[in-house]
Amino acid sequence: MFIISSKQKQENWNKIRELLETIKQMQSDLQESASMFKAIFCVSPVAMLVVEVSSGVIIDVNGAFEELSGRPRDSVVGRTVYETGLYDNPNQRSEIVAKILDEGYVRHYPVSFMVKGEPTECFLSSKLLQRGGKKIMISVVDVAEIYQKRVNGE
């Protein structure tokens, strides 16, 4: 049996309190970070979506995605990108997924999305992440260059 002095007991309790305070601070920081991400996601003027990599199920989209695609959030979340007809050419998703799984991201990848029923050339930038043990990708759909070229008559 070990005998612990009252001084050692007090030191151990102090260390436990410090660890608990550190954990509380880390939880608070994590919640703050999640809130900040959600705010950026929601107010971004750029179309964004979060998709489970293996199944292609859309987890979330922002308001800019709704505006760009002409589809309300509740009509796409929980459905696959194939069910929603998001890609003009569904084979493009396979190419993107292969690249993301290999490199962890894609940047300015040319893709043709169905935008309000019309095939539209866009650039997709995506990052591979983990969420709840599953691989997800958060993607940004950039149509600015395409619209600018149209405005300039190119």
Side-chain angles (χ1 to χ4, degrees):
M1 176 152 88
F2 293 99
I3 299 174
I4 300 175
S5 71
S6 61
K7 181 179 178 184
Q8 288 174 320
K9 286 180 186 177
Q10 187 59 46
E11 287 174 2
N12 287 344
W13 280 114
N14 289 341
K15 287 179 184 177
I16 290 170
R17 280 189 203 100
E18 286 176 24
L19 286 172
L20 289 173
E21 285 301 315
T22 299
I23 290 169
K24 284 181 187 177
Q25 184 60 50
M26 290 172 73
Q27 288 174 328
S28 175
D29 291 349
L30 184 58
Q31 288 175 339
E32 187 176 302
S33 180
S35 293
M36 199 172 352
F37 169 79
K38 187 67 174 175
I40 292 168
F41 183 81
C42 289
V43 303
S44 174
V46 177
M48 301 171 92
L49 64 158
V50 181
V51 178
E52 186 180 309
V53 174
S54 63
S55 66
V57 170
I58 298 171
I59 298 168
D60 204 357
V61 299
N62 68 353
F65 177 89
E66 290 179 288
E67 289 175 30
L68 176 68
S69 69
R71 300 172 190 182
R73 182 181 183 280
D74 60 358
S75 73
V76 294
V77 171
R79 298 178 65 201
T80 69
V81 293
Y82 302 111
E83 291 172 324
T84 60
L86 182 62
Y87 288 89
D88 179 36
N89 176 359
N91 292 331
Q92 285 186 310
R93 181 176 191 277
S94 300
E95 297 167 8
I96 292 165
V97 167
K99 188 170 172 88
I100 286 174
L101 291 174
D102 184 47
E103 298 178 22
Y105 71 96
V106 296
R107 184 161 169 77
H108 278 33
Y109 193 91
V111 63
S112 182
F113 279 145
M114 296 302 291
V115 175
K116 296 183 180 172
E118 294 292 323
T120 304
E121 294 300 318
C122 307
F123 292 102
L124 185 75
S125 296
S126 299
K127 174 74 176 143
L128 182 65
L129 301 169
Q130 291 279 335
R131 178 181 176 217
K134 294 183 178 182
K135 292 179 181 179
I136 63 167
M137 55 191 228
I138 183 162
S139 301
V140 175
V141 182
D142 181 7
V143 293
E145 290 182 42
I146 287 88
Y147 285 137
Q148 189 61 44
K149 286 180 180 180
R150 288 181 186 165
V151 167
N152 294 336
E154 296 177 31

